[in-house]
Amino acid sequence: MNLNFNKYLLAIFLTASFSAKAIPTPEAVEPQFDADDNPTYIIKYGKGDRLKEDGTPLNLIQIECQGKAVDFVTDEELDQCRGDDSLVEMKYGWMDFSTYKGWRAYHAECHVCHGPDAMGSTYAPSLMVSIQEGLSYDDFFTVIMNGRGEAEGAQKGNVMPAFGANTNVAPHVEDMYRYVKARADGKIRRGVRLPKLPKFKEVE
Amino acid sequence: MSILKKSIIASAALALPFAVSANSKLEKMMKDPSQWVQQSGDYAGHRYTNLDQINKSNVGSLKVAWTFSTGVLRGHEGGPLVIGDMMYVHTAIPNIVYALDLNDDQRIVWKYNPVKGGKFPGGETMDRVISVMCCDNVNRGVNYHPNGTIVLHAADTSVIALDAKTGKEKWITTNLHAGTGKYGVSASTGSGQPFIIKDTVGVGCSGAEFGVRCNWTSYDINSGKRLWRAYSMGPDKDMLVDPNKTTSMLKPIGKDSSLKTWPGDAWKIGGGSIWGFYGYDSKLNTLYYGTGNPSTWNPVVRPGDNKWSMTINARNPDNGMAKWLYQMTPYDEWDYDGVNEMILVDMKVKGKNRQALVHFDRNGFAYTMDRASGELLVAEKYDPAVNWATHVDMKTGRPQVQDRYSTAHQGEDVNTTNICPAALGSKDQQPAAYDRLSGLFMVPTNHVCMDYEPFKVDYVAGNAYVGATLSMYPAPGGTHLGNMIGWDADKGKIVWSNEEPFSVWSGAMATAGGITFYGTLEGYAKAVESKTGKELFKFKTPSGIIGNFMSYSHKGKQYVGILSGVGGWAGIGLAAGLTDPTAGLGAVGAYSALHNHTALGGVLTVFALP
């Protein structure tokens, strides 16, 4: 299911920049595909971000504790990291534009049911976990387009609405997949607060 | 217009002789503390009981007397009623109502389910209705009319009058439309309580996240016939306002007060939903309710004040005409719905006796108004974290918005950060109580901030129409997401404040025993001393609490009841926790995730002394 997503795609990379407050120039990159031809996210880590006044970079994308995203470490591991800074690594960088759009669409249209940061709610499952447990891009796409009610096997009282006719959602399914997959793979921390991206152009 | 007007006058005139007696009968019942006859306890919304058997000195030994499972999983807001020896309990969708016999070990006398063959009375499937509820399947409870009727406002907007004795349908009217049927496309839903005044029942509407133009509609309690409908925005005749007589900040509102404040036809999908808890003053014959956010959440596409969204409405319940209006958040840029409860208290404000209305708004300001004239008396922040506005200008009534937190000023596609409060407000629907002993207000609050990025969206009829992305987190300086506070509405000051790990999403109840009850999202039912906030009792109920406390007495014994059943917007927003476990690896809230503490399930827990 390879939709024409080139249109939506412009990945922005940040290469190390040495002047403190320089605004990095975004670069277009080719989207990547996995072995099944599914879109994957692209995130590059680097240190030379835009800096805040106190010199710390603005966009901390992930914190790793003992080599694992903090989302996925045990309480015990977290305690060890709290005790020993050398076990902690901060990752800075940009999300590519598609992942960013997915983040934005998700938090506008889906988080009211699926919870912030794709973490799930009392109402609907964590999509991050769904992908970790093997939900494929095809199924992701199909559920969003067609919805899922009790008749299609949803839990009683649960309804996943159909978004096929929703022009604010349908064109961004790949973007959202990329965002949720990046969460599932521990590439983006939760509550990541994106600073305003530098002005960029979408390439047709 | 003329036909509408005639029928309003005719029916109002007809209703009058009955009206007075029905009204006084209901008000008399409200004064009898052995019953709980209205969602808020009384018309004034005090949520106060005169019962004092359970009090400061013995509440510590409170025990569970009995429990009842509603059989429904989703979020349970509102609370049960007690009329005579019967208790009425409602549930989240499918909106079942149970009548329990308190004389017979709470035997189920009748059970009513409005969903038949998968469909609500209005003809929409349950799936469709659930998919257009913005924030879980909640319902805020049934109400009672002394002609022996229990009224249910079901999720598909059907207003259903049931015989209180038998549970048989007396009449059903579907107020608005939740689907895409012959009435065109809409996504209106019902979650607010039906409100009884004289021989009428009035209902609001939900759906501001779906581009619905909301309204208040009043029906005849005996026939279900529609009496009047007042839209939140649009032409004067739709809103039932009189340009010369209806006032705002003590001045007439003038012609086309709403139309002038929207670009083009944007008012037609303007939102302004009504789904909180309302007030009624029978001496002034005035109904009070608040309207919600203008849609979409992207303010850039609707420059103007977007009147009368975000507004306290004071209306004549006989014909709907507005007496006064006060807009708290003109040109909303944060989703600070103005729907919260209206509490009517006669009190001294700045040394003068006033017929006051106290309202704790989502926007973080607590307003004290003169409820007869609509004069603004006090507007102060009830959470020190509130930063989107510095203060409310008392001359104009307008909040002084800070540019750096203005999502319109920052613009589309810009993530405006660190705005307090978050969209769910310093307080959402969870109603406050008024402690008649100390004169303090017992207010359950949220302590959450947000980033908000508005962007362009298309309006697709019947679909969500949001247009902003947001992320929420605890207010700076802590990891707790809620506070239970005692508030002085004259001085506009917090008297005491208890930190809670999660938003306090349950309605409070104050008692003549000097104590106040409230619930927490982890499921604790708590009692504190009303004067000081000192915790005296806590018990963990089967699920998180978003329902409202009530009290009654039976055979001389006082009982306190609460519905648990986590969900609602709180359950959605907080289930995974908002505390970023990564935040500098600092003090990680032990409570970061709600799902580590509680799971779904509607259960009524009733407490009594041993």
Side-chain angles (χ1 to χ4, degrees):
Chain A
M1 173 132 339
N2 217 333
L3 300 146
N4 68 335
F5 65 86
N6 275 341
K7 204 164 113 197
Y8 303 105
L9 244 198
L10 165 63
I12 295 169
F13 268 78
L14 181 78
T15 40
S17 146
F18 297 98
S19 85
K21 284 183 182 139
I23 305 285
T25 321
E27 255 179 69
V29 293
E30 282 301 308
Q32 294 181 359
F33 303 88
D34 66 13
D36 300 325
D37 221 16
N38 289 328
T40 56
Y41 56 85
I42 307 153
I43 289 173
K44 170 126 177 178
Y45 298 126
K47 267 224 158 134
D49 250 338
R50 279 199 295 165
L51 300 182
K52 280 200 257 184
E53 272 154 31
D54 66 1
T56 50
L58 271 170
N59 39 353
L60 176 62
I61 288 215
Q62 186 56 282
I63 303 174
E64 289 184 357
C65 163
Q66 314 195 34
K68 274 192 274 177
V70 191
D71 279 333
F72 307 124
V73 298
T74 62
D75 285 350
E76 213 169 278
E77 286 166 328
L78 201 59
D79 273 345
Q80 288 161 0
C81 288
R82 271 189 213 122
D84 181 356
D85 275 356
S86 71
L87 301 175
V88 179
E89 199 185 341
M90 306 277 182
K91 300 266 177 129
Y92 298 93
W94 291 111
M95 275 185 213
D96 65 275
F97 188 46
S98 170
T99 308
Y100 162 77
K101 289 219 304 202
W103 166 82
R104 191 163 89 162
Y106 177 88
H107 283 94
E109 307 283 346
C110 321
H111 85 128
V112 294
C113 291
H114 288 284
D117 311 306
M119 298 279 283
S121 77
T122 59
Y123 186 84
S126 161
L127 297 181
M128 184 174 96
V129 171
S130 294
I131 288 185
Q132 278 170 346
E133 291 177 349
L135 182 75
S136 70
Y137 176 70
D138 279 7
D139 290 343
F140 185 84
F141 179 86
T142 311
V143 176
I144 295 167
M145 291 312 210
N146 302 333
R148 190 195 283 164
E150 224 175 302
E152 292 84 34
Q155 196 194 339
K156 203 173 166 64
N158 278 5
V159 177
M160 165 65 194
F163 287 95
N166 188 327
T167 51
N168 301 311
V169 173
H172 302 302
V173 176
E174 299 131 350
D175 300 329
M176 290 188 291
Y177 180 77
R178 231 185 230 97
Y179 163 68
V180 179
K181 185 147 182 357
R183 289 278 304 133
D185 289 353
K187 297 295 183 194
I188 307 179
R189 71 191 184 102
R190 60 169 313 188
V192 65
R193 297 202 223 150
L194 292 166
K196 189 185 173 192
L197 286 167
K199 281 284 176 213
F200 42 75
K201 281 203 299 256
E202 280 190 47
V203 276
E204 285 294 324
Chain B
M1 166 68 188
S2 64
I3 294 169
L4 178 76
K5 212 169 190 174
K6 257 184 219 149
S7 74
I8 288 169
I9 294 163
S11 48
L14 275 179
L16 216 58
F18 287 97
V20 175
S21 68
N23 210 32
S24 51
K25 190 160 177 204
L26 191 58
E27 286 203 287
K28 215 159 139 202
M29 291 173 78
M30 288 172 184
K31 291 207 177 91
D32 167 10
S34 71
Q35 317 190 71
W36 193 269
V37 297
Q38 218 262 342
Q39 282 298 321
S40 308
D42 58 21
Y43 276 145
H46 288 187
R47 296 180 180 273
Y48 179 89
T49 174
N50 271 317
L51 299 174
D52 60 1
Q53 216 175 64
I54 301 170
N55 56 43
K56 257 191 323 211
S57 54
N58 62 18
V59 66
S61 57
L62 210 57
K63 292 279 177 299
V64 173
W66 55 276
T67 59
F68 175 78
S69 164
T70 69
V72 173
L73 287 180
R74 307 247 69 97
H76 281 58
E77 289 182 354
L81 301 182
V82 169
I83 320 287
D85 295 326
M86 253 324 199
M87 177 182 275
Y88 300 93
V89 184
H90 72 286
T91 76
I93 292 176
N95 305 139
I96 295 166
V97 184
Y98 295 96
L100 309 179
D101 186 349
L102 298 175
N103 280 334
D104 189 5
D105 271 351
Q106 305 90 42
R107 181 177 62 87
I108 299 172
V109 179
W110 55 259
K111 171 184 174 185
Y112 173 78
N113 185 344
V115 175
K116 298 181 174 92
K119 286 190 172 162
F120 274 102
E124 289 306 330
T125 63
M126 199 164 96
D127 277 9
R128 164 69 192 173
V129 174
I130 291 173
S131 74
V132 292
M133 295 280 288
C134 104
C135 315
D136 205 359
N137 302 356
V138 296
N139 183 284
R140 299 189 182 84
V142 295
N143 264 327
Y144 173 77
H145 185 276
N147 74 355
T149 308
I150 290 289
V151 190
L152 167 69
H153 182 206
D156 77 327
T157 78
S158 290
V159 184
I160 305 172
L162 300 171
D163 186 310
K165 281 218 179 71
T166 61
K168 289 226 164 63
E169 291 164 358
K170 291 182 165 181
W171 53 262
I172 298 184
T173 304
T174 302
N175 183 36
L176 300 162
H177 299 282
T180 47
K182 60 182 170 181
Y183 304 97
V185 185
S186 177
S188 304
T189 48
S191 62
Q193 57 166 339
F195 198 60
I196 310 281
I197 297 178
K198 303 181 190 175
D199 282 341
T200 70
V201 54
V203 289
C205 98
S206 309
E209 275 62 57
F210 292 83
V212 169
R213 180 168 64 124
C214 271
N215 55 68
W216 180 281
T217 311
S218 172
Y219 291 94
D220 179 274
I221 191 72
N222 294 308
S223 63
K225 209 176 115 238
R226 186 164 123 189
L227 303 176
W228 54 266
R229 169 169 289 171
Y231 283 93
S232 300
M233 58 265 313
D236 291 349
K237 68 173 177 22
D238 286 14
M239 299 192 298
L240 304 185
V241 297
D242 181 327
N244 302 317
K245 291 202 185 117
T246 304
T247 63
S248 181
M249 293 300 287
L250 305 176
K251 289 192 206 71
I253 57 173
K255 223 167 145 283
D256 295 334
S257 58
S258 170
L259 293 181
K260 281 190 217 154
T261 62
W262 292 87
D265 278 354
W267 56 269
K268 287 185 176 163
I269 50 172
S273 47
I274 304 163
W275 46 268
F277 293 95
Y278 322 121
Y280 172 62
D281 182 326
S282 58
K283 288 203 193 80
L284 295 171
N285 192 31
T286 307
L287 155 72
Y288 301 93
Y289 67 80
T291 57
N293 62 288
S295 68
T296 90
W297 286 16
N298 175 6
V300 178
V301 300
R302 46 171 173 76
D305 279 355
N306 308 141
K307 284 175 177 162
W308 292 94
S309 65
M310 309 304 216
T311 296
I312 299 178
N313 286 239
R315 290 181 182 270
N316 178 340
D318 299 332
N319 57 19
M321 286 306 285
K323 299 182 175 182
W324 57 263
L325 302 164
Y326 170 63
Q327 190 179 40
M328 295 164 287
T329 314
Y331 190 42
D332 171 62
E333 312 166 39
W334 312 268
D335 188 36
Y336 294 152
D337 285 41
V339 300
N340 291 354
E341 74 284 359
M342 305 293 162
I343 309 178
L344 316 183
V345 178
D346 294 338
M347 59 184 266
K348 265 214 163 68
V349 183
K350 296 179 178 157
K352 240 168 111 180
N353 283 325
R354 292 280 191 171
Q355 295 174 293
L357 175 154
V358 177
H359 170 83
F360 298 90
D361 199 55
R362 279 251 286 266
N363 73 13
F365 286 88
Y367 296 85
T368 308
M369 319 270 310
D370 182 313
R371 70 175 180 272
S373 66
E375 185 184 347
L376 175 64
L377 304 174
V378 180
E380 295 292 340
K381 296 174 182 178
Y382 62 98
D383 181 352
V386 174
N387 65 10
W388 65 280
T390 52
H391 63 284
V392 173
D393 180 315
M394 298 303 284
K395 279 224 180 70
T396 60
R398 294 181 78 90
Q400 301 304 298
V401 177
Q402 306 224 58
D403 282 351
R404 58 191 282 220
Y405 302 119
S406 160
T407 70
H409 186 265
Q410 302 290 332
E412 271 175 357
D413 302 324
V414 177
N415 198 19
T416 302
T417 57
N418 298 313
I419 307 165
C420 306
L424 36 70
S426 294
K427 192 176 85 56
D428 196 82
Q429 59 81 36
Q430 62 270 39
Y434 173 64
D435 176 33
R436 292 180 194 153
L437 291 182
S438 66
L440 296 180
F441 291 77
M442 309 284 113
V443 195
T445 70
N446 309 321
H447 190 58
V448 182
C449 300
M450 69 173 171
D451 300 347
Y452 190 108
E453 177 169 328
F455 56 92
K456 247 195 195 84
V457 280
D458 303 336
Y459 174 65
V460 187
N463 278 286
Y465 184 48
V466 181
T469 199
L470 44 120
S471 46
M472 301 195 254
Y473 38 86
T479 54
H480 68 292
L481 299 170
N483 293 303
M484 182 70 200
I485 67 169
W487 175 258
D488 180 331
D490 170 16
K491 301 207 176 67
K493 287 227 154 59
I494 296 172
V495 176
W496 56 261
S497 176
N498 292 354
E499 283 186 9
E500 286 288 349
F502 293 103
S503 294
V504 188
W505 210 270
S506 94
M509 178 185 66
T511 88
I515 50 181
T516 291
F517 288 89
Y518 70 94
T520 73
L521 283 177
E522 312 100 289
Y524 288 110
K526 291 192 174 180
V528 298
E529 186 181 25
S530 306
K531 243 195 241 160
T532 61
K534 188 174 156 225
E535 192 169 301
L536 303 170
F537 168 79
K538 80 175 183 182
F539 174 84
K540 191 148 181 196
T541 65
S543 180
I545 300 178
I546 59 172
N548 305 332
F549 273 89
M550 51 80 73
S551 185
Y552 66 97
S553 72
H554 188 65
K555 300 196 169 142
K557 199 171 171 109
Q558 183 186 357
Y559 295 86
V560 169
I562 183 70
L563 269 176
S564 39
V566 76
W569 198 2
I572 285 160
L574 309 178
L578 291 180
T579 326
D580 185 353
T582 62
L585 293 175
V588 174
Y591 293 97
S592 61
L594 188 55
H595 57 52
N596 293 339
H597 298 267
T598 194
L600 299 177
V603 176
L604 174 69
T605 306
V606 177
F607 300 93
L609 291 170

